[in-house]
């Protein structure tokens, strides 16, 4: 990314298109999109990823067909009959499993994490720069894999594209979730790395990615989007991306996907903050995801023939670094 682009807009995203999409969440399909669902107690693993049992206009008469094939048939019918400039897609939004940065924040407390430890590559024999999954995080991804194996047997549609953040913990999560599934012909798991699908940028070393060379060596099966640079062009040591900028970045990511991907069922393996920004950008209700959590959304997109509005550049969201390790006070909140 050229420096003139990165300084002309408040976030490190691609140059604004001459069009964008208006997104509308389609309710009545997944419990996570319903305002009545309590995100503090909801367990997608016990409720078929949240799929609502219902009747569809495309259901066959007098059939005992299971809900997933009926759901897919209806979604594909509305996708194929969409008006010009409109499209429908189902997004599988998965948060990575527990990483060592999550352990560190829980250990030191959020206040200490934000003003001191998050600036470091690691401490106390913990390393969280481009954090790896912990054994707990690996098991969380395997649990999702088990759920996929079960639901695929009941006709759950497999993703047609697997978009993955370039951070190590998300690639590990996607691999453990999808790599050994018996997928339909033509839907082979192939992680496609997208730069803009990352967590909030800057300051926190856990959100600084490895080089393309290192990623390729560790995960030779991944594919990279065009012009993916070797060095991380987005992470800054002294500027933490504000929420408004992150929302704009993830909205431009969605615009790119909807403009270029003809698939209907798409998987995004990402981070808590990035997924929260996607939900905000599409005007979905806030829905907190635990590490390893998954939320599915049916989304309608309508092309709008003007550039997406760019938010003003705001101050860094990170506090100044403390002079030394602070006390262990601070309430825990999960990080990406």
């Amino acid at each position: 990314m050229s420096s003139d682009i990165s300084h002309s807009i408040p976030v490190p995203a691609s140059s604004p298109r001459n069009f964008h999409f208006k997104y509308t969440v389609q309710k009545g399909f997944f419990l996570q999109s319903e305002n009545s669902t309590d995100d503090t107690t909801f367990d997608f693993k016990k409720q078929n990823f949240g799929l609502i049992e219902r009747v569809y206009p495309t259901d066959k008469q007098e059939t005992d067909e299971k809900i997933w094939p009926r759901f897919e048939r209806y979604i594909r019918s509305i996708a194929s009959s969409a008006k010009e400039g409109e499209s429908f897609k189902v997004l599988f939004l998965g948060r990575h499993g527990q990483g060592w940065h999550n352990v560190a924040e829980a250990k030191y407390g959020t206040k200490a994490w934000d003003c001191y430890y998050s600036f470091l590559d690691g401490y106390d024999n913990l390393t969280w720069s481009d954090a790896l999954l912990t054994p707990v995080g690996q098991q969380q991804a395997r649990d999702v894999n088990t759920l996929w194996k079960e639901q695929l047997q009941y006709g759950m549609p497999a993703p047609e594209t697997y978009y993955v953040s370039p951070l190590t913990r998300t690639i590990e999560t996607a691999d453990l979730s999808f790599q050994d599934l018996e997928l339909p012909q033509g839907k082979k798991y192939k992680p496609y790395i997208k730069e803009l699908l990352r967590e909030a940028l800057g300051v926190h070393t856990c959100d600084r990615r490895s080089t393309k060379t290192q990623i390729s060596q560790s995960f030779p099966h991944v594919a990279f989007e065009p012009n993916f640079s070797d060095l991380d062009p987005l992470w800054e040591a002294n500027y933490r991306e504000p929420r408004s900028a992150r929302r704009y970045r993830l909205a431009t990511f969605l615009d790119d996907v909807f403009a270029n991907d003809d698939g209907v069922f798409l998987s995004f393996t990402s981070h808590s903050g990035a997924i929260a920004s996607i939900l905000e950008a599409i005007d979905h209700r806030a829905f907190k995801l635990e590490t390893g959590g998954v939320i599915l959304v049916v989304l309608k997109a309508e092309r709008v023939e003007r550039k997406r509005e760019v938010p003003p550049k705001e101050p860094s969201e990170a506090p100044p670094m403390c002079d030394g390790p602070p006390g262990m006070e601070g309430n825990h909140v999960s990080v990406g």
Side-chain angles (χ1 to χ4, degrees):
M1 181 177 302
S2 64
S3 59
D4 60 323
I5 290 177
S6 63
H7 285 86
S8 63
I9 58 177
V11 290
S14 56
S15 298
R17 300 171 178 271
N18 290 325
F19 65 90
H20 68 282
F21 291 96
K22 173 188 175 184
Y23 299 105
T24 308
V25 175
Q26 306 298 288
K27 293 190 175 184
F29 296 99
F30 292 98
L31 290 168
Q32 298 96 316
S33 297
E34 306 301 311
N35 293 333
S36 58
T37 301
D38 185 348
D39 62 348
T40 65
T41 59
F42 180 78
D43 188 346
F44 72 97
K45 295 186 292 296
K46 296 179 179 179
Q47 300 194 58
N48 299 340
F49 283 101
L51 183 65
I52 296 172
E53 182 69 45
R54 54 166 286 185
V55 174
Y56 298 104
T58 51
D59 283 354
K60 301 175 181 178
Q61 293 184 349
E62 299 180 3
T63 179
D64 58 356
E65 192 175 23
K66 297 186 182 302
I67 180 67
W68 280 117
R70 294 191 288 114
F71 166 73
E72 180 178 10
R73 182 187 303 117
Y74 179 65
I75 293 298
R76 291 199 181 277
S77 74
I78 62 175
S80 63
S81 61
K83 301 176 184 177
E84 184 176 357
E86 294 183 353
S87 60
F88 291 85
K89 298 185 188 299
V90 179
L91 311 184
F92 302 85
L93 304 171
R95 183 186 177 190
H96 63 77
Q98 183 194 69
W100 288 108
H101 62 310
N102 300 119
V103 173
E105 186 186 3
K107 177 179 180 178
Y108 301 119
T110 296
K111 182 177 180 180
W113 171 258
D114 282 342
C115 80
Y116 185 75
Y117 293 102
S118 65
F119 291 73
L120 309 178
D121 287 346
Y123 198 80
D124 286 343
N125 295 318
L126 291 179
T127 300
W128 52 76
S129 174
D130 191 8
L132 303 176
L133 291 183
T134 67
V136 169
Q138 293 171 353
Q139 186 57 52
Q140 289 171 333
R142 292 190 186 100
D143 290 343
V144 173
N145 175 268
T146 298
L147 181 60
W148 267 105
K149 287 178 178 176
E150 173 188 284
Q151 295 303 313
L152 284 170
Q153 293 179 357
Y154 296 127
M156 183 177 182
E160 294 157 273
T161 311
Y162 297 85
Y163 294 104
V164 183
S165 154
L167 294 170
T168 298
R169 57 190 179 273
T170 52
I171 304 174
E172 289 182 319
T173 297
D175 281 357
L176 290 170
S177 298
F178 299 115
Q179 204 162 38
D180 67 343
L181 296 179
E182 293 185 11
L183 297 169
Q185 187 174 2
K187 293 187 178 182
K188 180 182 177 182
Y189 168 66
K190 181 71 174 180
Y192 187 51
I193 306 300
K194 295 286 285 185
E195 191 80 89
L196 296 185
L197 192 52
R198 298 165 59 168
E199 186 54 291
L201 301 165
V203 178
H204 293 192
T205 62
C206 60
D207 301 325
R208 182 184 62 210
R209 74 163 169 83
S210 300
T211 66
K212 181 180 180 181
T213 300
Q214 292 168 326
I215 296 170
S216 298
Q217 290 172 346
S218 298
F219 306 100
H221 58 289
V222 306
F224 295 90
E225 66 182 325
N227 302 315
F228 191 89
S229 66
D230 190 56
L231 298 178
D232 187 341
L234 305 186
W235 188 87
E236 298 180 57
N238 299 313
Y239 184 79
R240 182 74 170 166
E241 181 184 36
R243 176 175 170 175
S244 62
R246 190 178 68 206
R247 180 177 63 248
Y248 174 80
R249 169 167 60 88
L250 270 300
T252 64
F253 162 77
L254 281 179
D255 290 344
D256 176 60
V257 169
F258 273 77
N260 295 294
D261 193 326
D262 293 331
V264 177
F265 296 90
L266 308 178
S267 172
F268 301 161
T269 305
S270 189
H271 311 261
S272 61
I275 293 172
S277 291
I278 288 175
L279 296 181
E280 192 174 349
I282 64 178
D283 200 26
H284 189 283
R285 58 159 292 189
F287 199 94
K288 184 178 176 63
L289 284 182
E290 72 272 25
T291 49
V294 181
I295 179 173
L296 277 69
V297 180
V298 180
L299 198 58
K300 176 184 179 180
E302 301 170 87
R303 179 166 166 142
V304 179
E305 298 299 332
R306 65 174 182 273
K307 293 182 179 180
R308 179 172 293 282
E309 183 177 352
V310 180
K313 186 162 186 175
E314 297 178 343
S316 173
E317 198 168 80
M321 187 176 185
C322 303
D323 293 333
M328 302 303 176
E329 68 276 13
N331 295 324
H332 171 68
V333 292
S334 61
V335 296

